[in-house]
Structure formats: structure tokens, C-alpha cells
Amino acid sequence: MPASLIASQSVNVSVLLSVPEPVHPAVARVLRVRSCPACCEAQCPDPAECLHFLTANPWDDCDSCTGSGWAGEESPSLFCVDCGGSGLMEYTAASLDTEDISDRAKARHAAHIERLTALVSGSVAVAA
């Protein structure tokens, strides 16, 4: 076998050996800031879309963190990975009676809507 082929094969092998082991999914995303409940991002890429999702269906306390937004002691993240720290989860209208939504969830939901409305209004004013 020519030396150039041996050299290229050894380079490929060394590249394959340097690939790190996959990270456990629970460790892959460490949240350091509370996320938007709609897009799960710290800063919404499209506030109008998030606003639409927040007003389309009812939102209530996250089942995993019971609405606190904090992760459990066993989690590597500071905030709940299911709700991104917002404490809110989207439900279908059929699966949740709006009278059962907690006052805390209503207040957090209203705060997110107010924040997103201001962002959308600001982007419309800038675009005009």
C-alpha cells in the first residue's frame, strides 16, 4: 500500500479517536436564566410568535416544578428543564378548566404577555 494512503488512514483514525463521548441529555442543557415559556429561549427570536402561542391556549403551572421554575436538587440546572424556569406549561383547552388555573400562574402568564406586547409594539414602532 502506498505511504500516502497509510498516512491518510492514520489521520482519519486519530480524528475518530478524538471525538468526545456523548453528553447525557440532562446535562446537555444547563439553564442559567429563566426562559420564555413559549420558545424556551432567554431572548425570544420572534416575540410576536411567542405572544401568539401564549394567547392561543391556556397556560398553568408546570407539573415538574409545580410552578416554581426551579430545578430539583438532582438536576445540574438551576431552573426546571421542562418549563425553562418560567413555571408555566401550555395545555389544551380540553385538558384544563380555566377556572383551575392558579393565581400565581395567571400572574406569571400576564407578565410574559405584557413583556412580549411591549417587545412587539417596540419592533413595530421601529419598523414604521
Side-chain angles (χ1 to χ4, degrees):
M1 183 181 293
S4 61
L5 289 177
I6 294 171
S8 67
Q9 287 177 351
S10 65
V11 171
N12 289 338
V13 170
S14 66
V15 170
L16 290 175
L17 294 177
S18 67
V19 175
E21 290 294 318
V23 178
H24 188 276
V27 179
R29 184 170 184 209
V30 177
L31 302 172
R32 293 188 178 140
V33 294
R34 291 186 187 264
S35 303
C36 169
C39 68
C40 292
E41 298 292 330
Q43 294 182 345
C44 304
D46 187 355
E49 185 176 355
C50 292
L51 184 59
H52 168 74
F53 281 116
L54 281 173
T55 56
N57 282 317
W59 290 74
D60 197 9
D61 291 322
C62 172
D63 290 334
S64 297
C65 67
T66 62
S68 72
W70 299 109
E73 290 181 17
E74 68 282 353
S75 176
S77 292
L78 180 60
F79 297 110
C80 175
V81 293
D82 291 336
C83 67
S86 70
L88 296 171
M89 293 296 285
E90 183 179 21
Y91 293 87
T92 62
S95 70
L96 179 70
D97 186 5
T98 55
E99 294 176 3
D100 293 335
I101 299 173
S102 73
D103 290 337
R104 277 184 4 185
K106 289 177 185 176
R108 284 192 313 277
H109 184 256
H112 283 290
I113 288 179
E114 182 179 332
R115 178 183 62 83
L116 290 170
T117 302
L119 287 172
V120 170
S121 298
S123 65
V124 170
V126 170

